[in-house]
Amino acid sequence: MVHAAFSYAEEDALWYLHLSKAQEGAYDAFREHLAGVSLLLPGHDDKYTLLRFLKARQWDVTKATAMYSKMVKWRTDQAVDSVYTDFVFSEFDDVLPFYPHFYHKLDKWGRPVYIEAVGKLDCAKMLTKTTEERLVKYHIYTWERFFKQVRVCRCLGCSGGGHIESVAVWTGTTS
């Protein structure tokens, strides 16, 4: 449903601000269910995070619970919390020329813009500077840093200084 005061793109970017009564009910049921089975993961139990799981599963609480449960297991299997606190990607400067990627400002709805210049990606050269396992850990570290440090801030330039719920991702053939 598109509200008259919003364009489709804005409605899509700020979807979590315009929930229907059925969606609010699904959120309440989902949160209550996760709490009831002691599955809520601290740091991943805020309204915006839970809404993302519901939206990804078309507001089906059972499917969203299965997805959330898999996320909790994956975080445990990958030791995500220790990667965030202990991992150092010392080869970053050596990898960057072969894998250009960065955050650059905000889009018009206040979302950070993440850019990957995939046209300049050189996997063979990049893998002479690091391993695939370390690259995966680097990505885990980077997204954890985003969610723990950047997402929770109220950036200047954000629409009303509001919550950052998503990232605008641009992948292009040139930088």
Side-chain angles (χ1 to χ4, degrees):
M1 174 166 109
V2 177
H3 299 280
F6 293 94
S7 68
Y8 174 76
E10 186 172 7
E11 182 76 11
D12 189 49
L14 303 174
W15 63 269
Y16 53 90
L17 298 177
H18 309 285
L19 300 177
S20 69
K21 289 185 191 277
Q23 291 168 337
E24 286 284 358
Y27 166 75
D28 292 339
F30 184 46
R31 181 166 187 76
E32 185 177 307
H33 175 71
L34 292 175
V37 296
S38 301
L39 193 56
L40 281 173
L41 183 64
H44 300 276
D45 57 352
D46 60 279
K47 182 173 185 174
Y48 303 106
T49 298
L50 298 180
L51 286 172
R52 283 185 11 250
F53 281 89
L54 282 165
K55 184 179 182 203
R57 294 296 174 247
Q58 293 75 44
W59 305 94
D60 183 306
V61 173
T62 302
K63 290 178 181 177
T65 299
M67 184 182 184
Y68 188 90
S69 178
K70 288 177 184 176
M71 178 272 301
V72 171
K73 182 182 181 324
W74 178 85
R75 290 183 64 82
T76 301
D77 293 348
Q78 297 298 318
V80 170
D81 292 330
S82 67
V83 168
Y84 176 70
T85 57
D86 303 334
F87 181 72
V88 175
F89 195 60
S90 56
E91 62 269 39
F92 176 81
D93 289 336
D94 295 329
V95 169
L96 190 59
F98 309 116
Y99 176 41
H101 61 287
F102 50 92
Y103 284 95
H104 181 68
K105 299 185 180 180
L106 305 170
D107 71 6
K108 70 185 202 177
W109 297 289
R111 299 178 301 184
V113 176
Y114 175 71
I115 298 170
E116 285 194 351
V118 295
K120 296 191 179 248
L121 177 65
D122 188 331
C123 291
K125 288 181 181 175
M126 178 179 60
L127 291 173
T128 67
K129 306 297 181 183
T130 192
T131 65
E132 191 173 332
E133 179 182 314
R134 287 189 55 76
L135 196 57
V136 168
K137 284 186 178 182
Y138 166 69
H139 278 285
I140 291 171
Y141 170 82
T142 300
W143 284 102
E144 282 299 296
R145 180 180 162 270
F146 172 78
F147 282 109
K148 288 182 168 93
Q149 296 175 7
V150 178
R151 178 178 171 227
V152 297
C153 80
R154 297 201 177 251
C155 299
L156 294 175
C158 290
S159 180
H163 181 80
I164 298 172
E165 178 48 38
S166 61
V167 177
V169 178
W170 180 83
T171 56
T173 57
T174 62
S175 60

mmCIF file of all heavy atoms in Angstrom, residues 94-120:
data_model
loop_
_atom_site.group_PDB
_atom_site.id
_atom_site.type_symbol
_atom_site.label_atom_id
_atom_site.label_comp_id
_atom_site.label_asym_id
_atom_site.label_seq_id
_atom_site.Cartn_x
_atom_site.Cartn_y
_atom_site.Cartn_z
ATOM 1 N N ASP A 94 46.272 -4.141 1.369
ATOM 2 C CA ASP A 94 46.757 -4.953 0.252
ATOM 3 C C ASP A 94 45.607 -5.511 -0.589
ATOM 4 O O ASP A 94 45.751 -5.731 -1.798
ATOM 5 C CB ASP A 94 47.608 -6.121 0.766
ATOM 6 C CG ASP A 94 48.886 -5.659 1.445
ATOM 7 O OD1 ASP A 94 49.423 -4.605 1.042
ATOM 8 O OD2 ASP A 94 49.328 -6.337 2.387
ATOM 9 N N VAL A 95 44.456 -5.735 0.032
ATOM 10 C CA VAL A 95 43.296 -6.313 -0.647
ATOM 11 C C VAL A 95 42.486 -5.249 -1.396
ATOM 12 O O VAL A 95 41.961 -5.509 -2.486
ATOM 13 C CB VAL A 95 42.398 -7.062 0.367
ATOM 14 C CG1 VAL A 95 41.051 -7.440 -0.238
ATOM 15 C CG2 VAL A 95 43.119 -8.294 0.897
ATOM 16 N N LEU A 96 42.398 -4.061 -0.845
ATOM 17 C CA LEU A 96 41.520 -3.019 -1.390
ATOM 18 C C LEU A 96 41.721 -2.729 -2.881
ATOM 19 O O LEU A 96 40.735 -2.573 -3.602
ATOM 20 C CB LEU A 96 41.653 -1.731 -0.571
ATOM 21 C CG LEU A 96 40.625 -0.642 -0.875
ATOM 22 C CD1 LEU A 96 39.198 -1.140 -0.653
ATOM 23 C CD2 LEU A 96 40.898 0.583 -0.015
ATOM 24 N N PRO A 97 42.950 -2.665 -3.402
ATOM 25 C CA PRO A 97 43.084 -2.395 -4.844
ATOM 26 C C PRO A 97 42.408 -3.452 -5.729
ATOM 27 O O PRO A 97 42.016 -3.157 -6.860
ATOM 28 C CB PRO A 97 44.597 -2.399 -5.082
ATOM 29 C CG PRO A 97 45.188 -2.108 -3.749
ATOM 30 C CD PRO A 97 44.258 -2.725 -2.752
ATOM 31 N N PHE A 98 42.275 -4.664 -5.221
ATOM 32 C CA PHE A 98 41.698 -5.757 -6.000
ATOM 33 C C PHE A 98 40.226 -6.005 -5.659
ATOM 34 O O PHE A 98 39.558 -6.793 -6.313
ATOM 35 C CB PHE A 98 42.508 -7.036 -5.780
ATOM 36 C CG PHE A 98 43.978 -6.805 -5.990
ATOM 37 C CD1 PHE A 98 44.867 -6.943 -4.935
ATOM 38 C CD2 PHE A 98 44.464 -6.413 -7.229
ATOM 39 C CE1 PHE A 98 46.220 -6.703 -5.122
ATOM 40 C CE2 PHE A 98 45.815 -6.171 -7.423
ATOM 41 C CZ PHE A 98 46.695 -6.315 -6.365
ATOM 42 N N TYR A 99 39.754 -5.318 -4.630
ATOM 43 C CA TYR A 99 38.361 -5.451 -4.199
ATOM 44 C C TYR A 99 37.890 -4.085 -3.684
ATOM 45 O O TYR A 99 37.745 -3.868 -2.488
ATOM 46 C CB TYR A 99 38.249 -6.526 -3.113
ATOM 47 C CG TYR A 99 36.870 -6.684 -2.519
ATOM 48 C CD1 TYR A 99 35.727 -6.640 -3.311
ATOM 49 C CD2 TYR A 99 36.704 -6.879 -1.155
ATOM 50 C CE1 TYR A 99 34.463 -6.778 -2.760
ATOM 51 C CE2 TYR A 99 35.451 -7.032 -0.589
ATOM 52 C CZ TYR A 99 34.339 -6.972 -1.401
ATOM 53 O OH TYR A 99 33.094 -7.110 -0.854
ATOM 54 N N PRO A 100 37.668 -3.136 -4.616
ATOM 55 C CA PRO A 100 37.272 -1.794 -4.186
ATOM 56 C C PRO A 100 35.829 -1.773 -3.670
ATOM 57 O O PRO A 100 34.901 -2.138 -4.389
ATOM 58 C CB PRO A 100 37.441 -0.942 -5.450
ATOM 59 C CG PRO A 100 37.507 -1.897 -6.579
ATOM 60 C CD PRO A 100 37.887 -3.245 -6.041
ATOM 61 N N HIS A 101 35.691 -1.364 -2.418
ATOM 62 C CA HIS A 101 34.381 -1.294 -1.766
ATOM 63 C C HIS A 101 34.464 -0.278 -0.641
ATOM 64 O O HIS A 101 35.521 -0.121 -0.021
ATOM 65 C CB HIS A 101 33.981 -2.668 -1.226
ATOM 66 C CG HIS A 101 34.917 -3.201 -0.201
ATOM 67 N ND1 HIS A 101 36.173 -3.672 -0.509
ATOM 68 C CD2 HIS A 101 34.806 -3.313 1.134
ATOM 69 C CE1 HIS A 101 36.777 -4.071 0.596
ATOM 70 N NE2 HIS A 101 35.966 -3.851 1.608
ATOM 71 N N PHE A 102 33.355 0.411 -0.402
ATOM 72 C CA PHE A 102 33.370 1.452 0.616
ATOM 73 C C PHE A 102 31.952 1.968 0.864
ATOM 74 O O PHE A 102 31.047 1.727 0.067
ATOM 75 C CB PHE A 102 34.275 2.616 0.195
ATOM 76 C CG PHE A 102 34.000 3.140 -1.194
ATOM 77 C CD1 PHE A 102 33.127 4.188 -1.399
ATOM 78 C CD2 PHE A 102 34.617 2.555 -2.295
ATOM 79 C CE1 PHE A 102 32.856 4.658 -2.675
ATOM 80 C CE2 PHE A 102 34.366 3.028 -3.579
ATOM 81 C CZ PHE A 102 33.482 4.080 -3.771
ATOM 82 N N TYR A 103 31.780 2.677 1.967
ATOM 83 C CA TYR A 103 30.547 3.406 2.245
ATOM 84 C C TYR A 103 30.753 4.837 1.770
ATOM 85 O O TYR A 103 31.848 5.385 1.891
ATOM 86 C CB TYR A 103 30.236 3.420 3.748
ATOM 87 C CG TYR A 103 29.690 2.111 4.243
ATOM 88 C CD1 TYR A 103 30.523 1.155 4.811
ATOM 89 C CD2 TYR A 103 28.340 1.825 4.123
ATOM 90 C CE1 TYR A 103 30.018 -0.055 5.252
ATOM 91 C CE2 TYR A 103 27.829 0.624 4.559
ATOM 92 C CZ TYR A 103 28.680 -0.312 5.123
ATOM 93 O OH TYR A 103 28.178 -1.500 5.547
ATOM 94 N N HIS A 104 29.689 5.442 1.233
ATOM 95 C CA HIS A 104 29.798 6.823 0.755
ATOM 96 C C HIS A 104 28.497 7.567 1.007
ATOM 97 O O HIS A 104 27.491 7.334 0.322
ATOM 98 C CB HIS A 104 30.143 6.845 -0.732
ATOM 99 C CG HIS A 104 30.301 8.235 -1.272
ATOM 100 N ND1 HIS A 104 31.344 9.054 -0.903
ATOM 101 C CD2 HIS A 104 29.553 8.940 -2.139
ATOM 102 C CE1 HIS A 104 31.230 10.214 -1.515
ATOM 103 N NE2 HIS A 104 30.149 10.169 -2.280
ATOM 104 N N LYS A 105 28.494 8.388 1.997
ATOM 105 C CA LYS A 105 27.388 9.282 2.323
ATOM 106 C C LYS A 105 26.079 8.528 2.565
ATOM 107 O O LYS A 105 26.089 7.361 2.916
ATOM 108 C CB LYS A 105 27.238 10.362 1.256
ATOM 109 C CG LYS A 105 28.460 11.249 1.125
ATOM 110 C CD LYS A 105 28.227 12.367 0.147
ATOM 111 C CE LYS A 105 29.482 13.226 0.036
ATOM 112 N NZ LYS A 105 29.275 14.321 -0.909
ATOM 113 N N LEU A 106 24.971 9.239 2.373
ATOM 114 C CA LEU A 106 23.631 8.699 2.611
ATOM 115 C C LEU A 106 22.763 8.948 1.388
ATOM 116 O O LEU A 106 22.962 9.932 0.671
ATOM 117 C CB LEU A 106 22.981 9.384 3.818
ATOM 118 C CG LEU A 106 23.753 9.361 5.128
ATOM 119 C CD1 LEU A 106 23.110 10.284 6.145
ATOM 120 C CD2 LEU A 106 23.849 7.957 5.664
ATOM 121 N N ASP A 107 21.780 8.058 1.165
ATOM 122 C CA ASP A 107 20.829 8.339 0.101
ATOM 123 C C ASP A 107 19.794 9.339 0.625
ATOM 124 O O ASP A 107 19.871 9.785 1.779
ATOM 125 C CB ASP A 107 20.203 7.053 -0.459
ATOM 126 C CG ASP A 107 19.227 6.367 0.482
ATOM 127 O OD1 ASP A 107 18.904 6.917 1.560
ATOM 128 O OD2 ASP A 107 18.774 5.260 0.136
ATOM 129 N N LYS A 108 18.826 9.703 -0.204
ATOM 130 C CA LYS A 108 17.897 10.753 0.206
ATOM 131 C C LYS A 108 16.945 10.340 1.324
ATOM 132 O O LYS A 108 16.239 11.171 1.872
ATOM 133 C CB LYS A 108 17.136 11.311 -0.989
ATOM 134 C CG LYS A 108 16.116 10.417 -1.621
ATOM 135 C CD LYS A 108 15.560 11.118 -2.858
ATOM 136 C CE LYS A 108 14.226 10.597 -3.259
ATOM 137 N NZ LYS A 108 13.692 11.348 -4.402
ATOM 138 N N TRP A 109 16.938 9.055 1.699
ATOM 139 C CA TRP A 109 16.112 8.604 2.820
ATOM 140 C C TRP A 109 16.953 8.324 4.056
ATOM 141 O O TRP A 109 16.486 7.725 5.007
ATOM 142 C CB TRP A 109 15.286 7.377 2.426
ATOM 143 C CG TRP A 109 14.344 7.741 1.326
ATOM 144 C CD1 TRP A 109 13.232 8.524 1.416
ATOM 145 C CD2 TRP A 109 14.470 7.378 -0.039
ATOM 146 N NE1 TRP A 109 12.651 8.669 0.181
ATOM 147 C CE2 TRP A 109 13.395 7.973 -0.726
ATOM 148 C CE3 TRP A 109 15.390 6.609 -0.764
ATOM 149 C CZ2 TRP A 109 13.210 7.826 -2.090
ATOM 150 C CZ3 TRP A 109 15.197 6.466 -2.118
ATOM 151 C CH2 TRP A 109 14.121 7.073 -2.769
ATOM 152 N N GLY A 110 18.225 8.721 4.008
ATOM 153 C CA GLY A 110 19.081 8.589 5.179
ATOM 154 C C GLY A 110 19.765 7.251 5.327
ATOM 155 O O GLY A 110 20.362 6.979 6.358
ATOM 156 N N ARG A 111 19.706 6.416 4.296
ATOM 157 C CA ARG A 111 20.364 5.107 4.376
ATOM 158 C C ARG A 111 21.812 5.230 3.930
ATOM 159 O O ARG A 111 22.096 5.869 2.914
ATOM 160 C CB ARG A 111 19.650 4.092 3.477
ATOM 161 C CG ARG A 111 18.213 3.849 3.855
ATOM 162 C CD ARG A 111 17.544 2.895 2.916
ATOM 163 N NE ARG A 111 17.586 3.397 1.546
ATOM 164 C CZ ARG A 111 17.000 2.797 0.523
ATOM 165 N NH1 ARG A 111 16.354 1.656 0.681
ATOM 166 N NH2 ARG A 111 17.057 3.315 -0.689
ATOM 167 N N PRO A 112 22.746 4.624 4.651
ATOM 168 C CA PRO A 112 24.133 4.619 4.188
ATOM 169 C C PRO A 112 24.221 3.940 2.820
ATOM 170 O O PRO A 112 23.510 2.974 2.549
ATOM 171 C CB PRO A 112 24.864 3.784 5.239
ATOM 172 C CG PRO A 112 23.992 3.844 6.447
ATOM 173 C CD PRO A 112 22.587 3.937 5.926
ATOM 174 N N VAL A 113 25.082 4.463 1.964
ATOM 175 C CA VAL A 113 25.278 3.896 0.627
ATOM 176 C C VAL A 113 26.565 3.090 0.633
ATOM 177 O O VAL A 113 27.640 3.609 0.935
ATOM 178 C CB VAL A 113 25.345 5.006 -0.451
ATOM 179 C CG1 VAL A 113 25.647 4.417 -1.824
ATOM 180 C CG2 VAL A 113 24.049 5.811 -0.471
ATOM 181 N N TYR A 114 26.448 1.801 0.335
ATOM 182 C CA TYR A 114 27.589 0.889 0.259
ATOM 183 C C TYR A 114 27.856 0.602 -1.212
ATOM 184 O O TYR A 114 26.941 0.244 -1.950
ATOM 185 C CB TYR A 114 27.297 -0.404 1.015
ATOM 186 C CG TYR A 114 28.383 -1.446 0.893
ATOM 187 C CD1 TYR A 114 29.606 -1.278 1.536
ATOM 188 C CD2 TYR A 114 28.187 -2.590 0.132
ATOM 189 C CE1 TYR A 114 30.601 -2.232 1.428
ATOM 190 C CE2 TYR A 114 29.178 -3.554 0.026
ATOM 191 C CZ TYR A 114 30.385 -3.359 0.668
ATOM 192 O OH TYR A 114 31.379 -4.308 0.554
ATOM 193 N N ILE A 115 29.093 0.791 -1.627
ATOM 194 C CA ILE A 115 29.456 0.630 -3.031
ATOM 195 C C ILE A 115 30.496 -0.474 -3.184
ATOM 196 O O ILE A 115 31.483 -0.512 -2.443
ATOM 197 C CB ILE A 115 30.020 1.950 -3.596
ATOM 198 C CG1 ILE A 115 28.945 3.041 -3.527
ATOM 199 C CG2 ILE A 115 30.542 1.768 -5.020
ATOM 200 C CD1 ILE A 115 29.436 4.434 -3.827
ATOM 201 N N GLU A 116 30.248 -1.364 -4.133
ATOM 202 C CA GLU A 116 31.237 -2.355 -4.550
ATOM 203 C C GLU A 116 31.465 -2.154 -6.041
ATOM 204 O O GLU A 116 30.527 -2.258 -6.826
ATOM 205 C CB GLU A 116 30.753 -3.782 -4.298
ATOM 206 C CG GLU A 116 30.809 -4.189 -2.857
ATOM 207 C CD GLU A 116 30.650 -5.686 -2.655
ATOM 208 O OE1 GLU A 116 30.332 -6.419 -3.616
ATOM 209 O OE2 GLU A 116 30.847 -6.107 -1.514
ATOM 210 N N ALA A 117 32.694 -1.856 -6.416
ATOM 211 C CA ALA A 117 33.041 -1.687 -7.823
ATOM 212 C C ALA A 117 33.448 -3.049 -8.378
ATOM 213 O O ALA A 117 34.628 -3.347 -8.545
ATOM 214 C CB ALA A 117 34.151 -0.652 -7.974
ATOM 215 N N VAL A 118 32.453 -3.886 -8.656
ATOM 216 C CA VAL A 118 32.723 -5.272 -9.053
ATOM 217 C C VAL A 118 33.457 -5.370 -10.384
ATOM 218 O O VAL A 118 34.132 -6.370 -10.641
ATOM 219 C CB VAL A 118 31.443 -6.138 -9.061
ATOM 220 C CG1 VAL A 118 30.889 -6.278 -7.658
ATOM 221 C CG2 VAL A 118 30.389 -5.562 -9.992
ATOM 222 N N GLY A 119 33.363 -4.339 -11.211
ATOM 223 C CA GLY A 119 34.105 -4.344 -12.468
ATOM 224 C C GLY A 119 35.599 -4.277 -12.264
ATOM 225 O O GLY A 119 36.381 -4.618 -13.147
ATOM 226 N N LYS A 120 36.012 -3.832 -11.095
ATOM 227 C CA LYS A 120 37.443 -3.748 -10.776
ATOM 228 C C LYS A 120 37.892 -4.874 -9.845
ATOM 229 O O LYS A 120 39.036 -4.904 -9.422
ATOM 230 C CB LYS A 120 37.744 -2.389 -10.155
ATOM 231 C CG LYS A 120 37.478 -1.260 -11.130
ATOM 232 C CD LYS A 120 38.026 0.040 -10.617
ATOM 233 C CE LYS A 120 37.767 1.116 -11.624
ATOM 234 N NZ LYS A 120 38.959 1.603 -12.251
#
